[in-house]
């Protein structure tokens, strides 16, 4: 009996889906002859159309309810869908210059990332992703310039790279940059300044600078720059000097080679210069830390869910007396090293307070060569200090000389200290 009931229901479904009348009658007659099929109500073609339209309307209502619920969830407001539709209509139909849909959509994605209120979480379009890859590989097209934001919103030339276009054009450390290609610095997000200066090799960037009270414009041709991230030399018979400009993919290999070369030349003490180093990869900081931190934690990373993971020093290398130089532009991975050295008392920190970027970002690849750089964790120093927004305060604060900026008083003091260790 159950089987017959199922067959009857199937007949109804097939009738509703417009089974041909002839086939329908034959099939129905056969079932009726078995005296098990119920009476089947015959509908006219017009009634079937009305019934189909009714079902489509119901499906549409269900879809709109689900869509409203989705926008309510992502917006936090029951009017989310209405607000989106209204804003999209006004933007696309009323704007004097009609924006492209692609540009509107990309800016919506950027707005989502900006809504986290975390300045390090950003949506990266295709060009931004290329810039990030260039930065981590330390190969890019630009002018060879290090930027200095240590005076707040004032942008200055931190340094020029030897033999690169910025140096050849006559830019000097301390020059204030007022505008890039006619755009005032005040109109450019701090994180976007470098992207405005960089560009395709062979193109030009025009910087308006202020030097000794006088403004001038300098046009500089961009070139492909393979930037060494580590430089080193012997300051005397026993004191070595290593400067790190960033923590890129190849930095550990470069550091290892220079460190071992200096040891072969008699290095017994080390001055590590992390000034103006914006940081980079936490894995690179972990690799550098093997030479500077005793066995134990270099840094601990804590996620939003409270999960901890530690990057450890194996203690494979004998430590030597160490002084680390930092300033207001020393950030991220630079602060990991400085914080670990300070907490483990494996060296002395000299200079000025660091930037205070104590977060870890992950770059998530998108669906069309774009991506999202998102803050996923905060790091803690070996003594469980959180430095995000705080920075590392040096063991000895030494301000750069304003009267004679050509004299590196911070380095001089670092050398004096390391010789006493």
């Amino acid at each position: 009996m159950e089987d017959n009931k199922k067959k009857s229901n199937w007949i109804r479904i097939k009738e509703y889906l417009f089974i041909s009348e002839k086939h329908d009658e034959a099939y129905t007659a056969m079932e009726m002859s078995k005296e098990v099929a119920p009476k089947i109500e015959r509908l006219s073609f017009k009634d079937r159309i009305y019934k189909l339209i009714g079902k489509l309307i119901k499906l549409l209502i269900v879809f709109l309810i689900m869509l409203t619920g989705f926008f309510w969830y992502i917006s936090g407001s029951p009017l989310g869908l209405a607000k989106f539709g209204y804003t999209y209509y006004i933007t696309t139909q009323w704007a004097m210059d009609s924006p492209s849909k692609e540009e509107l959509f990309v800016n919506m994605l950027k707005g989502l990332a900006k809504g986290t209120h975390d300045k390090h979480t950003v949506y990266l379009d295709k060009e931004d992703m290329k810039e990030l890859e260039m930065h981590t590989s330390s190969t890019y097209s630009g002018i060879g310039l290090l930027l200095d934001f240590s005076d707040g919103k004032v942008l200055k030339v931190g340094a020029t790279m030897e033999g690169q276009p910025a140096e050849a054009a006559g830019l000097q450390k301390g020059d204030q940059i007022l505008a890039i290609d006619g755009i005032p610095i005040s109109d450019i997000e701090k994180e976007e300044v470098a992207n405005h200066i960089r560009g395709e090799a062979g193109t030009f960037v025009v910087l308006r600078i202020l030097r000794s009270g006088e403004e001038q414009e300098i046009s500089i041709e961009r070139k492909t720059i393979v930037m060494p991230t580590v430089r080193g030399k012997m300051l005397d018979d026993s004191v070595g000097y290593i400067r790190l400009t960033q923590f890129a993919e190849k930095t550990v290999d470069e550091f290892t080679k220079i460190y071992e070369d200096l040891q072969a030349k008699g290095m017994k003490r080390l001055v590590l210069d992390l000034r103006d180093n914006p940081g980079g990869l936490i894995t690179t900081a972990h690799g550098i830390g093997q030479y500077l931190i005793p066995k134990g934690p270099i840094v601990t990373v804590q996620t939003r869910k409270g999960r901890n993971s530690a990057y450890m020093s194996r203690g494979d290398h004998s430590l030597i007396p160490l002084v680390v130089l930092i300033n207001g532009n020393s950030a991220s991975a630079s602060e990991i090293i400085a914080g670990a050295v300070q907490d483990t008392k494996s060296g002395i920190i000299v200079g000025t307070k660091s930037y205070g970027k104590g977060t870890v970002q992950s770059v998530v690849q998108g669906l069309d060569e774009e991506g999202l750089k998102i803050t996923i964790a905060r790091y803690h120093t070996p003594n469980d200090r959180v430095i995000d927004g705080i920075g590392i305060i040096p063991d000895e604060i030494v301000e750069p000389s304003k009267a004679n900026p050509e004299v590196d008083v911070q380095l001089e003091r670092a050398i004096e200290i390391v010789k006493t260790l």
Side-chain angles (χ1 to χ4, degrees), residues 315-378:
D316 295 338
H317 301 278
S318 298
L319 304 183
I320 62 175
L322 172 68
V323 170
V324 179
L325 282 166
I326 62 172
N327 65 5
N329 292 316
S330 302
S332 187
S334 295
E335 294 171 295
I336 287 177
I337 295 298
V341 168
Q342 192 173 57
D343 282 5
T344 59
K345 301 188 184 304
S346 55
I348 303 295
I349 311 299
V350 173
T352 55
K353 185 168 74 74
S354 64
Y355 182 83
K357 181 184 177 295
T359 56
V360 179
Q361 283 73 45
S362 177
V363 178
V364 183
Q365 184 72 46
L367 303 177
D368 188 26
E369 298 182 33
E370 85 289 4
L372 187 69
K373 184 173 74 169
I374 185 167
T375 297
I376 59 170
R378 285 188 176 87

Side-chain angles (χ1 to χ4, degrees), residues 65-185:
I65 291 173
M66 292 176 66
L67 194 61
T68 299
F70 174 74
F71 272 86
W72 188 345
Y73 173 75
I74 65 174
S75 69
S77 167
L79 298 177
L81 177 59
K83 288 179 179 180
F84 171 78
Y86 179 77
T87 305
Y88 185 84
Y89 174 79
I90 297 298
T91 304
T92 55
Q93 301 302 316
W94 288 26
M96 179 66 183
D97 298 313
S98 180
S100 72
K101 291 181 180 180
E102 182 181 3
E103 187 175 359
L104 279 176
F105 185 68
V106 167
N107 281 318
M108 281 194 290
L109 296 177
K110 289 183 177 180
L112 282 173
K114 197 169 184 178
T116 63
H117 298 293
D118 173 55
K119 61 184 177 181
H120 304 299
T121 294
V122 291
Y123 173 81
L124 304 170
D125 59 25
K126 293 180 182 180
E127 292 302 315
D128 294 332
M129 283 292 284
K130 289 178 183 177
E131 289 290 335
L132 183 63
E133 289 168 5
M134 289 178 184
H135 180 73
T136 56
S137 66
S138 67
T139 300
Y140 66 96
S141 295
I143 61 175
L145 185 66
L146 296 178
L147 303 174
D148 180 1
F149 271 110
S150 59
D151 290 342
K153 292 186 177 181
V154 176
L155 174 61
K156 293 182 179 180
V157 174
T160 57
M161 298 179 193
E162 186 177 348
Q164 302 300 343
E167 183 188 60
L171 285 180
Q172 299 175 10
K173 181 177 181 178
D175 288 343
Q176 182 179 344
I177 301 175
L178 303 175
I180 303 170
D181 287 331
I183 305 174
I185 293 300

Side-chain angles (χ1 to χ4, degrees), residues 298-300 335 339-340 343 379-387 392:
I298 297 172
V299 64
T300 302
E335 294 171 295
D343 282 5
Y379 67 72
H380 297 228
T381 67
N383 286 350
D384 204 30
R385 287 188 294 159
V386 175
I387 66 162
I392 300 289

Side-chain angles (χ1 to χ4, degrees), residues 137-360:
S137 66
S138 67
T139 300
Y140 66 96
S141 295
I143 61 175
L145 185 66
L146 296 178
L147 303 174
D148 180 1
F149 271 110
S150 59
D151 290 342
K153 292 186 177 181
V154 176
L155 174 61
K156 293 182 179 180
V157 174
T160 57
M161 298 179 193
E162 186 177 348
Q164 302 300 343
E167 183 188 60
L171 285 180
Q172 299 175 10
K173 181 177 181 178
D175 288 343
Q176 182 179 344
I177 301 175
L178 303 175
I180 303 170
D181 287 331
I183 305 174
I185 293 300
S186 58
D187 293 345
I188 304 174
E189 292 289 337
K190 187 175 180 180
E191 291 75 19
E192 295 294 321
V193 170
N195 291 339
H196 281 263
I197 295 176
R198 295 173 183 172
E200 188 177 346
T203 61
F204 287 80
V205 61
V206 178
L207 302 182
R208 187 165 80 245
I209 67 167
L210 178 66
R211 181 190 298 164
S212 302
E214 294 185 6
E215 292 187 17
Q216 57 180 298
E217 287 194 344
I218 301 177
S219 180
I220 309 171
E221 183 180 2
R222 300 180 177 102
K223 293 183 179 179
T224 299
I225 297 173
V226 180
M227 185 172 64
T229 61
V230 185
R231 299 197 311 271
K233 61 183 179 180
M234 293 296 294
L235 298 175
D236 61 23
D237 291 341
S238 65
V239 178
Y241 170 84
I242 295 180
R243 164 114 170 102
L244 269 65
T245 58
Q246 68 180 99
F247 289 75
E249 293 170 353
K250 62 181 183 178
T251 303
V252 175
D253 291 339
E254 291 180 352
F255 181 89
T256 299
K257 183 178 183 306
I258 289 176
Y259 188 91
E260 291 177 353
D261 285 348
L262 295 182
Q263 277 193 321
K265 294 177 181 177
M267 179 177 69
K268 303 299 181 186
R269 293 173 171 81
L270 173 64
V271 174
L272 178 66
D273 194 345
L274 298 180
R275 291 175 297 178
D276 300 313
N277 185 322
L281 304 173
I282 191 170
T283 50
T284 300
H286 178 228
I288 300 294
Q290 303 301 320
Y291 292 85
L292 311 172
I293 311 300
K295 186 175 181 179
I298 297 172
V299 64
T300 302
V301 175
Q302 187 175 88
T303 68
R304 63 186 285 182
K305 294 181 179 179
R307 296 175 183 168
N308 291 330
S309 57
Y311 291 81
M312 308 292 289
S313 170
R314 297 181 298 273
D316 295 338
H317 301 278
S318 298
L319 304 183
I320 62 175
L322 172 68
V323 170
V324 179
L325 282 166
I326 62 172
N327 65 5
N329 292 316
S330 302
S332 187
S334 295
E335 294 171 295
I336 287 177
I337 295 298
V341 168
Q342 192 173 57
D343 282 5
T344 59
K345 301 188 184 304
S346 55
I348 303 295
I349 311 299
V350 173
T352 55
K353 185 168 74 74
S354 64
Y355 182 83
K357 181 184 177 295
T359 56
V360 179

